[in-house]
Amino acid sequence: MHTTTTRTLAIAAALTLGLTLASCSAGSSSSDADSSSSSSSTSTASASASAHSDQDVMFAQMMLPHHKQAVEMSDMLLAKGSGVDTGVTDLAKQIKAEQSPEIKQLTSWLKSWGEPTESGHLGMGHSMSGMMSDSDMSDLDKSSAKNAGQLYLEQLVQHHEGAVDMAKTEVTKGANIDAVRMAKSIVSGQTEQITQMKDMLSSF
């Protein structure tokens, strides 16, 4: 009788232990699944944010030197000192303040995408619309303070129009969310500045 009771208690204890272990195992699996799901979602979101296409690469590679030239033109103008129309110098400072951070962002994107910062699209049917020639840059550099303001505005209207055209292409064909967002900002901001510069030119 004593043996039978002992055996019964042992079986009951074993069953209880087995159920406890099974419950812990199920809980652990559920937790692991939740963790895996969360990690997968984060990874997917990250991949989505960094996804890019050849169009995004071309936009960044071509807008980068375009922006750099606009900053260079602005530096040339500002170096001429107080003889330049103050409205034009204010605009040049604004353009530098807006485009310098975008130059850093464009460079960062290309590096993160494993792409060169120099465009591989030039010479293959692509051109950077609105870019000034070496002769144009020389003319601005050598112009007097009195004449520099007007020349700067004339050149920059053309320069901005080219940038807007490139940005519009990125807006409609780009895949990278952040690049498309920058392109929309360029279209909006530089279109507004084109109107402003044309108004300023009418006073010269």
Side-chain angles (χ1 to χ4, degrees), residues 72-85 88 134-155 204:
E72 184 181 0
M73 291 165 67
S74 298
D75 282 336
M76 284 182 179
L77 179 85
L78 293 171
K80 297 184 184 300
S82 59
V84 181
D85 181 90
V88 182
D134 290 341
S135 177
D136 293 327
M137 295 296 283
S138 178
D139 287 343
L140 179 61
D141 190 33
K142 294 177 181 178
S143 63
S144 66
K146 180 181 178 180
N147 298 325
Q150 181 176 351
L151 182 57
Y152 173 81
L153 292 175
E154 289 171 347
Q155 290 183 344
F204 277 94

Side-chain angles (χ1 to χ4, degrees), residues 162-183:
V164 169
D165 285 344
M166 287 193 292
K168 284 181 177 179
T169 299
E170 172 65 11
V171 170
T172 57
K173 298 182 179 180
N176 183 267
I177 297 171
D178 294 327
V180 170
R181 184 181 296 116
M182 178 188 285

Side-chain angles (χ1 to χ4, degrees), residues 91-191:
L91 177 63
K93 290 175 184 177
Q94 179 186 344
I95 288 171
K96 283 191 64 177
E98 291 173 350
Q99 298 198 19
S100 293
E102 290 182 346
I103 288 171
K104 292 180 181 179
Q105 184 61 75
L106 291 163
T107 302
S108 176
W109 285 337
L110 289 168
K111 288 182 177 179
S112 69
W113 297 338
E115 299 287 350
T117 54
E118 293 185 1
S119 176
H121 300 279
L122 297 179
M124 296 191 299
H126 300 283
S127 63
M128 288 188 286
S129 177
M131 286 288 282
M132 297 296 103
S133 66
D134 290 341
S135 177
D136 293 327
M137 295 296 283
S138 178
D139 287 343
L140 179 61
D141 190 33
K142 294 177 181 178
S143 63
S144 66
K146 180 181 178 180
N147 298 325
Q150 181 176 351
L151 182 57
Y152 173 81
L153 292 175
E154 289 171 347
Q155 290 183 344
L156 206 59
V157 166
Q158 179 183 339
H159 202 268
H160 270 26
E161 287 173 344
V164 169
D165 285 344
M166 287 193 292
K168 284 181 177 179
T169 299
E170 172 65 11
V171 170
T172 57
K173 298 182 179 180
N176 183 267
I177 297 171
D178 294 327
V180 170
R181 184 181 296 116
M182 178 188 285
K184 289 179 178 178
S185 176
I186 289 172
V187 171
S188 174
Q190 295 199 18
T191 297

